[in-house]
Amino acid sequence: MNNVSIKTADEIEKMRIAGRLAADVLDMIEPYVKPGISTNELDRICHDYIVEEQQAIPAPLNYRGFPKSICTSVNHQVCHGIPGDKILKKGDAINIDITVIKDEFHGDTSKMFFAGEPGILVKRLAEVAHKAMWAGIDLVKPGVQLGDIGHSIQQLVEQQHFSVVREYCGHGIGRKFHEDPQVLHYGQAHTGMVLQAGMTFTIEPMVNAGKRQVKLLPDNWTVVTKDRKPSAQWEHTILVTPEGHEVLTLRAEERQQAE
Ligand code: MF3
Ligand code: CO
Ligand code: CO
């Protein structure tokens, strides 16, 4: 189907390994996400773990000129935040987005963390973004259309009077970081590409507390909300299986919940 690769059994096994490694990085970094740490330190810890412990490659590093190994998007930053001197303070919300390459295949996943107790709005925003991602994931099986996924995510978010960012989307993934198809987080049911077994792609809705509009900072990477209200995002890498789907980046905490 046009440019969408269908993974072989061998490639799927490699995607499972890459996905597991990316998930493990999020588990590893969790205890470090505390008030007082800088995003640069989080980057260094993840970089060293990926390179030394996992013998894998942090995909963002030098990707189209991105200067760091992970993305750290704090509060009103929507995505692609560049780690730097910024020190987390009590109540900050941060999305950490990890992509690793192992044996030529990519695994891509992100989650929300809080440095200390978050405010009530940000906590609800992160919960809604998480539910929205899962509403999309739960639909994945052969025969379902991409528009069905986008529609369910958009519905869930807008019912809560939050908004879905349109400029960035999920993506096919495999040997390449970003492959076809584009996986929009909004849209109409019964439209778009029909899923088939062997496809691998991410679902990664960005949900804004205020308006959906975003702007790019002069660093040419960091995306922020125009109204400076907070934004939240979660991401998983998904395989379409003959029976439904497999979440390739599922973490230990989520594996327990699913049982
Ligand atoms: N991990 C991001 C995604 O989910 C992409 C980051 S590109 C980077 O697609 F260069 F900023 F790392
Ligand atoms: Co992604
Ligand atoms: Co990502």
Side-chain angles (χ1 to χ4, degrees):
M1 211 191 295
N2 34 26
N3 272 320
V4 177
S5 66
I6 300 299
K7 271 70 179 180
T8 64
D10 187 58
E11 292 171 335
I12 288 168
E13 198 40 53
K14 291 178 178 178
M15 289 290 294
R16 282 196 182 102
I17 292 167
R20 172 67 65 102
L21 292 177
D24 285 347
V25 178
L26 289 178
D27 280 338
M28 180 280 300
I29 200 64
E30 159 117 325
Y32 297 97
V33 186
K34 294 272 147 62
I37 196 162
S38 70
T39 51
N40 256 341
E41 288 173 274
L42 295 171
D43 176 72
R44 182 189 52 78
I45 297 164
C46 289
H47 170 276
D48 292 354
Y49 184 80
I50 293 165
V51 170
E52 284 156 28
E53 307 284 324
Q54 299 187 327
Q55 280 146 359
I57 299 166
L61 189 58
N62 302 320
Y63 177 80
R64 299 181 182 217
F66 192 79
K68 299 283 174 164
S69 296
I70 65 173
C71 296
T72 52
S73 304
V74 180
N75 297 337
H76 75 293
Q77 297 180 346
V78 174
C79 63
H80 305 167
I82 304 175
D85 296 336
K86 187 196 284 284
I87 289 177
L88 296 184
K89 52 187 196 318
K90 203 161 146 265
D92 279 348
I94 178 174
N95 172 280
I96 300 183
D97 192 339
I98 303 291
T99 312
V100 305
I101 308 169
K102 182 74 171 182
D103 214 357
E104 291 180 9
F105 283 83
H106 290 74
D108 189 6
T109 185
S110 80
K111 68 171 271 193
M112 297 299 297
F113 297 86
F114 304 108
E117 255 310 290
I120 176 163
L121 171 68
V122 162
K123 198 172 163 190
R124 193 167 73 84
L125 181 67
E127 279 168 11
V128 168
H130 186 250
K131 278 200 183 123
M133 175 190 67
W134 278 104
I137 292 173
D138 286 342
L139 290 179
V140 174
K141 63 175 183 188
V144 164
Q145 291 179 270
L146 283 178
D148 298 327
I149 294 172
H151 180 73
S152 71
I153 292 170
Q154 182 180 11
Q155 282 277 106
L156 194 147
V157 168
E158 292 180 355
Q159 263 166 21
Q160 301 297 320
H161 307 286
F162 293 147
S163 63
V164 175
V165 172
R166 308 249 175 137
E167 287 81 355
Y168 302 88
C169 58
H171 50 92
I173 181 167
R175 275 182 209 279
K176 288 199 281 186
F177 196 160
H178 297 104
E179 306 182 345
D180 282 345
Q182 292 196 26
V183 180
L184 303 185
H185 304 114
Y186 61 94
Q188 285 179 305
H190 312 298
T191 65
M193 182 180 291
V194 178
L195 300 185
Q196 60 184 82
M199 290 179 176
T200 50
F201 54 83
T202 70
I203 298 180
E204 49 178 302
M206 285 138 275
V207 176
N208 292 352
K211 295 198 193 324
R212 67 173 179 82
Q213 276 73 21
V214 298
K215 70 176 195 201
L216 188 61
L217 293 190
D219 65 19
N220 264 308
W221 278 106
T222 312
V223 179
V224 298
T225 57
K226 259 197 179 148
D227 59 15
R228 298 186 64 89
K229 291 185 180 171
S231 186
Q233 179 180 28
W234 299 74
E235 174 176 27
H236 272 310
T237 298
I238 320 293
L239 163 71
V240 185
T241 64
E243 307 76 32
H245 60 266
E246 195 178 312
V247 180
L248 301 177
T249 45
L250 207 62
R251 294 182 303 281
E253 63 184 22
E254 299 172 298
R255 288 194 283 275
Q256 279 161 11
Q257 281 166 14
E259 275 163 17

